[in-house]
């Protein structure tokens, strides 16, 4: 449209330029006439150019307006479709947010309940830990705690009190009272002590200072060595009581057992040299399992020997039975022989005599008596 307008203007300029040229040729004409003619010509040319320009501009504007309306309608439809899609998506997002909010409230309620329960459990655990720590400060309480753990392990290993072991009972020849005495085959015994020093170890765990921790650790290891020597001096190894040459010192915690091995490896070796066996709950269970298996094997061997002796006595009685049975068989054979003789030879002889009597009766004409033969007992000649 701009290009057409420029073209019209250029045409107008050309016409004006032509007019000036004509004016130069008509210089001699009257200036008033020239001015009037030029004005009329310029106005006419400008009017025609403006009409053509307006016509072209109106046509172009109409075409552009019609195209713009169509394009605007298409864009409106596209915008409407986009708005519908956005509305659907927003509805989905709104529903998702609502569900998420409900689920969040539910999960938050569950999480709050779990956190509350966890807090209660932690509080109970803290109270229990505090009570346990306070109890373990006492030597008597530590001994009772060790006995409780040992009882659980013995029960798990299948040991029965009074059958496989006895607890807290004085020995016969000395006054010491082992915490546990296990019965071994052939009347042998092995004693176990469950009291173990833990005070310094608890202080080691509670202290944050490295210097204090090292001091409590060294003290704990010294306490363990002192306890080891104390056990060796309590007559737990006593030949008069038929004990074995070792005594068991029970450590009621795997962490304690590992701590000793990690910080003083020579302590276990020194204990073995002094005939003391350190046992954690796991190693005690292993030793009891081996002990139980050995006792069962010994009892099985003892039972097998008794069964062999019974089999020997049974064999002797069997020989006597077979001899008597053979003698009875021989006697039965002799009786059978006599019976066969009676049922064959003797019976034939009797039948022959009866036949002769019958023939003689017939020859003499003696009438047959119905009761004659019935009154005779065929066994009477045998008895005679």
């Amino acid at each position: 449209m701009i290009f057409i307008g420029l073209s019209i203007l250029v045409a107008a300029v050309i016409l004006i330029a032509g007019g000036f040229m004509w004016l130069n040729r008509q210089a001699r004409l009257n200036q008033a006439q020239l001015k009037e003619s030029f004005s009329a010509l310029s106005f006419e040319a400008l009017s025609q150019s403006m009409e053509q320009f307006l016509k072209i501009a109106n046509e172009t504007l109409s075409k552009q307006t019609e195209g713009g309306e169509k394009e605007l309608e298409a864009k409106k439809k596209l915008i409407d479709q986009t708005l519908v899609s956005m509305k659907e998506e927003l509805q989905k997002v709104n529903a998702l947010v609502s569900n998420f909010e409900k689920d969040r409230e539910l999960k938050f309620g569950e999480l709050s309940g779990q956190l509350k329960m966890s807090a209660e459990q932690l509080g109970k655990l803290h109270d229990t830990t505090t009570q346990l720590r306070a109890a373990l400060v006492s030597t008597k309480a530590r001994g009772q705690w060790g006995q409780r753990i040992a009882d659980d392990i013995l029960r798990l290993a299948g040991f029965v009190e009074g059958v496989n072991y006895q607890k807290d009972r004085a020995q016969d020849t000395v006054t010491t009272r082992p915490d546990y005495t296990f019965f071994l085959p052939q009347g042998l015994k092995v004693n176990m002590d469950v009291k173990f020093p833990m005070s310094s170890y608890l202080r080691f765990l509670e202290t944050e200072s490295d210097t204090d921790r090292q001091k409590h650790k060294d003290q704990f290891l010294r306490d363990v060595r002192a306890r080891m020597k104390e056990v060796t001096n309590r007559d737990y190894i006593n030949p008069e009581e038929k004990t074995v040459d070792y005594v068991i010192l029970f450590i009621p915690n795997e962490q304690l057992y590992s701590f000793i091995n990690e910080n003083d490896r020579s302590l276990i070796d020194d204990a073995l040299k002094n005939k003391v066996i350190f046992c954690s709950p796991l190693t005690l269970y292993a030793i009891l399992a081996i002990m139980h298996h050995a006792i069962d094997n010994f009892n099985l061997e003892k039972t097998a020997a008794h069964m062999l002796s019974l089999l020997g006595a049974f064999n002797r009685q069997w020989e006597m039975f077979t001899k008597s049975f053979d003698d009875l068989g021989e006697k039965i054979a002799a009786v059978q022989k006599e019976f066969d003789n009676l049922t064959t030879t003797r019976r034939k002889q009797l039948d022959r005599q009866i036949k002769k009597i019958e023939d003689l009766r017939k020859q003499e004409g003696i009438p047959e008596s119905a009761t004659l033969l019935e009154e005779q007992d065929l066994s009477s000649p045998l008895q005679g």
Side-chain angles (χ1 to χ4, degrees):
M1 183 175 69
I2 297 173
F3 178 76
I4 294 172
L6 291 175
S7 298
I8 294 173
L9 291 175
V10 170
V13 172
I14 292 173
L15 290 175
I16 294 171
F20 280 113
M21 291 177 66
W22 183 80
L23 287 175
N24 288 329
R25 287 193 303 265
Q26 301 295 329
R28 294 178 182 181
L29 295 176
N30 192 303
Q31 183 176 7
Q33 293 177 349
L34 289 174
K35 183 177 180 181
E36 184 179 354
S37 299
F38 178 76
S39 299
L41 181 63
S42 298
F43 181 76
E44 184 180 359
L46 182 60
S47 298
Q48 293 176 355
S49 299
M50 289 300 293
E51 290 177 357
Q52 187 178 3
F53 174 77
L54 290 174
K55 183 180 180 180
I56 295 172
N58 288 330
E59 292 178 353
T60 304
L61 181 61
S62 298
K63 291 180 181 179
Q64 290 183 351
T65 302
E66 184 179 358
E69 289 177 352
K70 292 181 180 179
E71 184 178 359
L72 182 62
E73 185 68 23
K75 290 183 178 180
K76 181 181 178 182
K77 291 181 180 180
L78 181 61
I79 291 173
D80 291 339
Q81 293 176 357
T82 304
L83 289 175
V84 172
S85 300
M86 290 178 63
K87 184 177 180 180
E88 293 177 353
E89 294 295 330
L90 287 174
Q91 289 177 351
K92 293 180 181 179
V93 171
N94 189 23
L96 182 62
V97 170
S98 298
N99 294 332
F100 178 76
E101 184 66 21
K102 293 179 181 178
D103 185 69
R104 185 187 67 81
E105 292 177 357
L106 180 61
K107 296 295 185 183
F108 183 77
E110 294 178 354
L111 180 60
S112 299
Q114 292 179 357
L115 289 175
K116 184 178 179 181
M117 185 180 299
S118 298
E120 293 176 356
Q121 295 296 330
L122 286 174
K124 293 180 180 179
L125 181 61
H126 180 268
D127 294 340
T128 303
T129 305
T130 303
Q131 294 175 2
L132 179 61
R133 182 173 299 174
L136 292 179
V137 174
S138 170
T139 304
K140 183 178 180 180
R142 286 199 301 269
Q144 292 175 351
W145 180 56
Q147 284 186 351
R148 177 61 183 273
I149 296 177
D151 287 339
D152 293 339
I153 297 173
L154 288 170
R155 209 163 27 245
L156 183 63
F159 275 55
V160 179
E161 185 177 359
V163 177
N164 305 108
Y165 70 96
Q166 63 184 13
K167 183 169 64 175
D168 195 23
R169 185 174 300 179
Q171 302 186 77
D172 296 333
T173 60
V174 290
T175 58
T176 53
R177 301 171 64 92
D179 294 328
Y180 290 87
T181 300
F182 300 106
F183 303 138
L184 300 178
Q186 298 180 352
L188 296 177
K189 303 175 184 176
V190 59
N191 294 316
M192 182 176 74
D193 195 295
V194 299
K195 292 180 288 293
F196 198 79
M198 295 179 57
S199 301
S200 298
Y201 180 74
L202 294 176
R203 297 190 188 98
F204 168 80
L205 296 178
E206 295 172 352
T207 303
E208 297 181 357
S209 172
D210 293 338
T211 304
D212 293 337
R213 287 172 63 87
Q214 184 65 37
K215 180 180 67 173
H216 293 312
K217 183 182 74 172
D218 295 339
Q219 183 60 45
F220 170 70
L221 295 176
R222 286 194 295 269
D223 292 342
V224 174
R225 287 186 177 275
R227 181 58 181 162
M228 176 188 68
K229 294 180 180 179
E230 182 182 355
V231 169
T232 57
N233 295 326
R234 293 182 62 84
D235 293 327
Y236 287 157
I237 301 175
N238 188 358
E240 296 181 359
E241 293 287 334
K242 293 185 178 180
T243 62
V244 297
D245 291 338
Y246 286 88
V247 61
I248 299 175
L249 181 58
F250 181 57
I251 303 174
N253 186 278
E254 292 291 340
Q255 185 177 355
L256 277 174
Y257 187 76
S258 300
F259 184 83
I260 294 172
N261 286 325
E262 291 174 1
N263 293 277
D264 192 351
R265 297 181 179 180
S266 63
L267 203 153
I268 302 296
D269 296 332
D270 294 340
L272 290 175
K273 292 178 182 178
N274 288 277
K275 307 297 183 180
V276 178
I277 301 175
F278 285 173
C279 283
S280 67
L282 183 60
T283 54
L284 176 62
Y285 177 78
I287 289 176
L288 293 177
I290 295 174
M291 191 183 302
H292 200 290
H293 184 68
I295 293 172
D296 290 342
N297 287 339
F298 178 79
N299 292 332
L300 180 61
E301 182 181 355
K302 185 178 179 180
T303 303
H306 183 61
M307 289 179 64
L308 289 175
S309 64
L310 292 177
L311 286 175
F314 176 79
N315 186 43
R316 289 192 297 271
Q317 295 297 328
W318 175 255
E319 291 177 355
M320 296 173 63
F321 171 77
T322 52
K323 184 176 181 302
S324 299
F325 192 78
D326 292 339
D327 294 340
L328 179 60
E330 293 176 358
K331 293 178 180 180
I332 291 175
V335 172
Q336 182 66 37
K337 183 177 179 181
E338 293 295 330
F339 179 77
D340 293 339
N341 185 30
L342 290 174
T343 57
T344 55
T345 305
R346 297 278 72 82
R347 183 166 185 172
K348 290 179 180 180
Q349 294 295 331
L350 289 173
D351 289 342
R352 190 178 299 115
Q353 297 299 324
I354 291 174
K355 190 175 182 302
K356 290 179 179 181
I357 294 173
E358 186 65 21
D359 293 340
L360 179 61
R361 183 189 63 78
K362 289 179 180 181
Q363 291 177 2
E364 296 295 333
I366 301 173
E368 184 177 359
S369 176
T371 60
L372 179 62
L373 295 177
E374 292 177 357
E375 293 175 354
Q376 293 180 354
D377 187 0
L378 296 178
S379 63
S380 298
L382 298 177
Q383 293 175 358

